[in-house]
């Protein structure tokens, strides 16, 4: 009696293990491939997102356009650095004073001069007479400020000062330049020059 009971228990236990084994086998055959497929899909999606975030995934025309936009932004940054607004004039005066000192010249005077406002088309020589007649405000205007500078020093020192002005990244147009001897008849010379700064302003900027 005890032997048959033990045999029944072992037989029942064996059936449960077999069922569990079949269940694991079916899970391996049916579920795991689906999980692997999902993981592969997520991995592919991540790679696509990474490519879309870079220029390498852009079509040729879009990539070319993006590069042109980047180039124009760099050019605009260079232009902004070259223009001198009214607010930047005090800084320019300080820089001119420093240039004279670095060139071993004595700054005799530096003072602002006249101001002029013209349309960009007028400056470029393509002004439309109809625009002037109607009185329409041009889209772009050029603001010009003059700066009169007088320094004194040796001939080589004044040339060094002019070289520093030429190397400056800002647009500094020299409208007049004059060398003469000081009244005390020293070996130094006086350099008087008139500089004009340029600023470009859009009509809708204000």
């Amino acid at each position: 009696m005890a032997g048959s009971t033990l045999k029944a228990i072992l037989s029942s236990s064996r059936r449960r293990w077999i069922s569990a084994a079949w269940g694991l086998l079916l899970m391996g055959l049916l579920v795991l491939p689906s999980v692997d497929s999902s993981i592969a899909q997520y991995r592919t999606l991540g790679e696509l997102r990474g490519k879309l975030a870079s220029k390498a995934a852009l079509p040729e025309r879009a990539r070319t356009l993006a590069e042109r936009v980047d180039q124009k932004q760099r050019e605009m940054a260079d232009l902004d650095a070259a223009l001198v607004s009214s607010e930047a004039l005090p800084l320019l005066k300080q820089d001119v004073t420093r240039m004279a000192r670095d060139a071993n010249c004595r700054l005799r005077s530096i003072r602002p001069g006249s101001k002029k406002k013209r349309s960009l088309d007028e400056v470029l020589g393509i002004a439309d007479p109809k625009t002037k007649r109607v009185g329409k405000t041009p889209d772009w205007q050029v603001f010009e400020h003059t700066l009169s500078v007088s320094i004194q020093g040796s001939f080589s020192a004044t040339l060094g000062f002019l070289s520093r002005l030429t190397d400056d990244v800002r647009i500094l147009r020299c409208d007049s330049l004059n060398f003469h001897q000081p009244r005390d008849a020293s070996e130094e010379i006086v350099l008087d020059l008139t500089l004009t700064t340029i600023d470009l302003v859009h009509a809708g900027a204000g």
Side-chain angles (χ1 to χ4, degrees):
M1 182 69 176
S4 61
T5 302
L6 179 60
K7 184 178 181 180
I9 293 174
L10 291 175
S11 178
S12 176
S13 177
R14 186 181 296 113
R15 284 197 297 269
R16 286 197 297 270
W17 277 108
I18 293 175
S19 298
W22 273 108
L24 291 173
L25 180 61
L26 290 174
M27 181 179 294
L29 292 175
L30 299 176
V31 178
L32 290 181
S34 177
V35 172
D36 290 341
S37 176
S38 298
I39 293 175
Q41 290 177 2
Y42 275 111
R43 186 179 293 112
T44 303
L45 182 60
E47 292 175 354
L48 289 175
R49 285 176 176 172
K51 289 181 180 180
L52 287 175
S54 65
K55 290 182 180 180
L58 293 175
E60 185 62 29
R61 287 185 62 188
R63 184 163 58 251
T64 302
L65 179 60
E67 291 173 354
R68 289 182 60 187
V69 170
D70 291 342
Q71 179 184 356
K72 291 302 179 182
Q73 288 177 340
R74 290 193 296 270
E75 292 175 355
M76 289 300 298
D78 292 340
L79 179 61
D80 288 339
L83 300 175
V84 181
S85 63
S86 301
E87 294 77 11
L89 283 176
L91 177 60
L92 175 61
K93 293 173 65 175
Q94 295 177 12
D95 289 342
V96 170
T97 302
R98 176 183 51 78
M99 292 179 196
R101 183 177 62 250
D102 293 344
N104 296 319
C105 295
R106 180 169 64 87
L107 183 67
R108 292 161 56 95
S109 64
I110 179 170
R111 59 185 186 276
S114 61
K115 303 177 184 179
K116 186 184 297 184
K117 179 173 64 176
R118 295 187 291 169
S119 70
L120 179 60
D121 290 346
E122 181 182 352
V123 174
L124 298 177
I126 55 174
D128 186 358
K130 296 180 181 179
T131 304
K132 265 192 171 183
R133 187 167 58 249
V134 175
K136 178 185 176 182
T137 302
D139 293 334
W140 289 95
Q141 292 181 308
V142 176
F143 287 75
E144 300 174 330
H145 293 82
T146 61
L147 192 67
S148 298
V149 181
S150 179
I151 64 170
Q152 182 173 334
S154 66
F155 182 73
S156 60
T158 55
L159 288 182
F161 171 75
L162 289 176
S163 178
R164 285 171 170 78
L165 280 179
T166 303
D167 292 340
D168 196 273
V169 297
R170 288 164 291 196
I171 299 176
L172 302 175
R173 190 182 70 216
C174 183
D175 292 334
S176 67
L177 187 150
N178 180 38
F179 288 100
H180 62 88
Q181 285 187 323
R183 292 181 179 180
D184 57 9
S186 66
E187 295 182 357
E188 295 182 339
I189 60 174
V190 175
L191 169 63
D192 296 329
L193 68 159
T194 302
L195 302 174
T196 297
T197 63
I198 305 294
D199 190 21
L200 188 63
V201 179
H202 192 267

